[in-house]
């Protein structure tokens, strides 16, 4: 019979107290994510009595060199970011800077061209410059827009979700094609990125089926529904988990169950609860679970959760039902284009609450009311002045002012 006075994880305080029968004793070097004794899961940091020389595992995002355009990736124990060179911006330094940002109310400025910008509106705002306030009761999500952003809502971390939870929600697809996409419905993760080995909870659509996955730290459990009945206007999902056992019920389909692998029983997630999409820009940074590549397309509403059988269902968020943030989320069945009049053949484009005019060749501006000068980069065809020369517009065409040492119509001769 062996009696433990204390359990030491990774190393022991004094080597001389350890029997030497196994040879030289070395402390563990690496990361330990979860620790369970019999059926009790111990929280490595919170329940430790003492320790020494222990740090958080580094987030390995920088190992994948995510920064574009010469950006430098920097990471610490909890987060990472790209330090961008001049003239570039964005999470990955992937965008040319909006030199004169016209967007208001915390909107994300995206350079549609070298001179025109699109304002990606935050939660509760709409319009060309995101200056219009909107009331959202049934959120409408637009998937991944042409600029690569997903529309999303982010709620505060759902508390007490470790051992038991139930979710109910309803959704309405934008169209039948959207059911066939890899669309993320909701996600919450251990650190927010869904890195391999991290705990996460995720729901999405793939090939017309609902996919529900969770990882308690010892492997992913997944339930896939039967194909959705696309004749239904509104779909209803009820899912849950008790320790290792999870279940999923979609519409009138039979309830399906799964048991997660390994012996861990607790879901340890600390990130916000993301609905409809994710805050990051590129598909590579979306939650890794089953690797959903797009945001949801359509409406998601009546989202309810409870973390005990003795509780009633309630909406996520603090205060209840209120998201912390969001992007390009509109009101279901409302069209912001109904308030926008694009000129000179321009087409109104809407993605959730974000709206802009897509102008025909030769036109620019928020409402396509400005002509494109023959010397501007957007002109089609482009001018032929060689690099280093200056294009000067004329009533009929243009001329090139050559730098010292060059000549010719387009300054092409030395």
């Amino acid at each position: 019979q062996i009696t433990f006075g204390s359990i030491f994880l990774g190393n022991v305080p004094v080597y001389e107290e350890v029997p030497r029968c196994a040879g030289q004793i070395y402390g563990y070097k690496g990361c330990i994510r979860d620790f369970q004794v019999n059926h009790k899961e111990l929280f490595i940091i919170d329940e430790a009595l003492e320790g020494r020389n222990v740090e958080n595992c580094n987030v390995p995002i920088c190992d994948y060199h995510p920064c574009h355009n010469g950006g430098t990736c920097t990471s610490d124990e909890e987060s990472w970011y790209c330090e961008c060179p001049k003239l570039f911006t964005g999470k990955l330094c992937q965008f040319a800077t909006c030199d004169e940002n016209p967007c208001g109310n915390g909107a994300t400025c995206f350079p549609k061209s070298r001179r025109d910008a699109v304002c990606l509106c935050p939660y509760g705002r709409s319009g060309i410059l995101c200056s219009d306030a909107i009331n959202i009761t049934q959120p409408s999500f637009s998937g991944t827009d042409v600029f690569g952003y997903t529309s999303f809502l982010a709620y505060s971390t759902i508390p007490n979700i470790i051992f038991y939870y139930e979710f109910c929600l309803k959704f309405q697809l934008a169209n039948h094609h959207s059911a066939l996409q890899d669309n993320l419905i909701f996600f919450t993760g251990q650190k927010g990125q869904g890195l391999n080995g991290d705990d996460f909870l995720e729901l999405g659509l793939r090939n017309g089926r609902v996919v529900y996955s969770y990882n308690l730290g010892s492997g992913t459990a997944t339930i896939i529904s039967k194909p959705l009945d696309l004749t239904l206007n509104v779909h209803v999902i009820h899912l849950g988990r008790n320790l290792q056992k999870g279940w999923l019920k979609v519409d009138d389909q039979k309830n399906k169950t799964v048991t997660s692998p390994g012996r861990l029983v607790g879901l340890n997630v600390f990130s916000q609860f993301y609905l409809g999409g994710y805050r990051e820009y590129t598909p590579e940074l979306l939650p890794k679970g089953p690797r959903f590549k797009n945001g949801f397309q359509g409406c998601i509403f009546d989202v309810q959760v409870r973390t005990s059988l003795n509780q009633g269902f309630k909406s996520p968020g603090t205060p209840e039902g209120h998201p912390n943030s969001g992007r390009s989320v509109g009101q279901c069945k409302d069209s912001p284009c109904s308030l926008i009049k694009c000129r000179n053949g321009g087409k109104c484009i809407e993605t959730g609450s974000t709206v802009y005019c897509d102008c025909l060749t030769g036109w620019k501006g928020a409402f396509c009311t400005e002509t494109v000068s023959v010397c501007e980069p957007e002109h089609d065809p482009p001018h032929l002045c060689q690099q280093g020369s200056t294009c000067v517009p004329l009533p009929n065409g243009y001329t090139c002012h050559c730098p010292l040492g060059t000549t010719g119509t387009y300054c092409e001769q030395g």
Side-chain angles (χ1 to χ4, degrees):
Q1 181 177 355
I2 300 176
T3 302
F4 290 102
S6 298
I7 297 176
F8 300 104
L9 194 64
N11 204 344
V12 294
V14 182
Y15 280 124
E16 283 70 24
E17 297 178 2
V18 181
R20 295 286 179 167
C21 58
Q24 182 66 42
I25 303 297
Y26 296 96
Y28 176 73
K29 184 177 181 180
C31 298
I32 299 176
R33 296 185 184 276
D34 298 280
F35 184 42
Q36 182 170 313
V37 178
N38 294 330
H39 296 292
K40 177 176 174 56
E41 185 171 355
L42 301 179
F43 294 92
I44 295 176
I45 299 300
D46 294 345
E47 298 188 45
L49 299 179
E50 59 178 315
R52 183 174 64 221
N53 298 331
V54 177
E55 298 177 348
N56 280 327
C57 290
N58 287 332
V59 179
I61 287 290
C62 287
D63 293 346
Y64 299 98
H65 307 292
C67 306
H68 298 183
N69 298 305
T72 302
C73 184
T74 302
S75 66
D76 56 25
E77 290 81 3
E78 295 296 336
S79 62
W80 65 277
Y81 65 93
C82 290
E83 185 176 347
C84 301
K86 291 182 178 180
L87 303 181
F88 291 96
T89 187
K91 180 76 174 181
L92 306 179
C93 308
Q94 70 274 32
F95 302 136
T97 305
C98 285
D99 295 325
E100 297 179 2
N101 185 355
C103 307
N105 299 296
T108 300
C109 179
F110 184 90
K112 185 174 65 171
S113 68
R114 295 189 185 184
R115 295 183 180 273
D116 283 345
V118 172
C119 300
L120 307 182
C121 296
Y123 174 73
R125 290 285 172 174
S126 183
I128 291 285
L129 301 179
C130 305
S131 56
D132 303 327
I134 57 172
N135 182 36
I136 298 175
T137 57
Q138 292 188 346
S140 173
F141 302 88
S142 54
T144 305
D145 62 28
V146 295
F147 310 114
Y149 283 104
T150 61
S151 59
F152 75 92
L153 291 177
Y155 296 85
S156 57
T157 304
I158 298 176
N160 306 318
I161 202 173
I162 298 174
F163 300 115
Y164 182 91
Y165 58 75
E166 285 184 75
F167 285 88
C168 294
L169 62 90
K170 300 176 183 178
F171 69 86
Q172 187 176 22
L173 295 169
N175 49 58
H176 289 180
H177 177 71
S178 65
L180 303 178
Q181 305 295 308
D182 287 349
N183 289 343
L184 183 71
I185 296 177
F186 71 62
F187 167 82
T188 183
Q190 193 162 28
K191 294 181 181 177
Q193 281 90 19
L195 299 172
N196 293 335
D198 279 358
D199 293 18
F200 69 83
L201 165 63
E202 193 169 39
L203 182 71
L205 286 176
R206 174 176 291 123
N207 297 326
R209 302 169 186 260
V210 175
V211 181
Y212 163 41
S213 294
Y214 58 91
N215 190 332
L216 307 181
S218 54
T220 300
T222 300
I223 304 177
I224 302 176
S225 75
K226 292 182 178 180
L228 292 173
D229 181 358
L230 298 181
T231 63
L232 296 176
N233 185 43
V234 176
H235 300 276
V236 180
I237 295 179
H238 184 195
L239 62 89
R241 181 188 63 86
N242 182 23
L243 301 179
Q244 291 179 297
K245 186 176 181 180
W247 65 90
L248 170 69
K249 180 170 176 56
V250 178
D251 296 331
D252 293 329
Q253 299 180 17
K254 290 184 178 180
N255 189 58
K256 301 183 75 172
T257 62
V258 70
T259 301
S260 64
R263 300 181 62 183
L264 298 177
V265 298
L267 178 70
N268 300 301
V269 294
F270 316 118
S271 78
Q272 298 184 95
F273 179 75
Y274 294 98
L275 186 68
Y278 196 50
R279 70 167 180 263
E280 305 291 7
Y281 163 70
T282 59
E284 307 95 81
L285 299 181
L286 284 171
K288 294 234 177 345
R291 294 187 180 274
F292 293 105
K293 296 180 180 179
N294 300 292
F296 185 79
Q297 295 171 282
C299 302
I300 304 175
F301 47 94
D302 294 347
V303 180
Q304 301 282 303
V305 60
R306 68 177 179 178
T307 55
S308 169
L309 280 171
N310 300 322
Q311 291 180 343
F313 283 92
K314 65 178 185 178
S315 301
T318 306
E320 182 181 347
H322 290 264
N324 293 338
S325 62
R327 179 176 59 223
S328 298
V329 175
Q331 170 68 3
C332 193
K333 298 182 180 178
D334 281 359
S335 172
C337 276
S338 63
L339 304 175
I340 301 298
K341 181 69 173 180
C342 301
R343 306 292 181 178
N344 300 303
K347 180 181 179 182
C348 183
I349 305 295
E350 60 182 64
T351 56
S353 62
T354 294
V355 60
Y356 64 95
C357 290
D358 187 20
C359 304
L360 293 178
T361 300
W363 296 95
K364 64 178 182 177
F367 299 97
C368 306
T369 55
E370 305 171 41
T371 58
V372 177
S373 165
V374 68
C375 286
E376 293 185 61
E378 295 84 3
H379 190 270
D380 187 18
H383 67 80
L384 300 178
C385 296
Q386 298 295 300
Q387 189 173 7
S389 61
T390 302
C391 177
V392 179
L394 300 174
N396 295 302
Y398 62 94
T399 186
C400 300
H401 285 185
C402 302
L404 186 66
T406 63
T407 186
T409 305
Y410 306 114
C411 309
E412 74 279 10
Q413 300 175 15

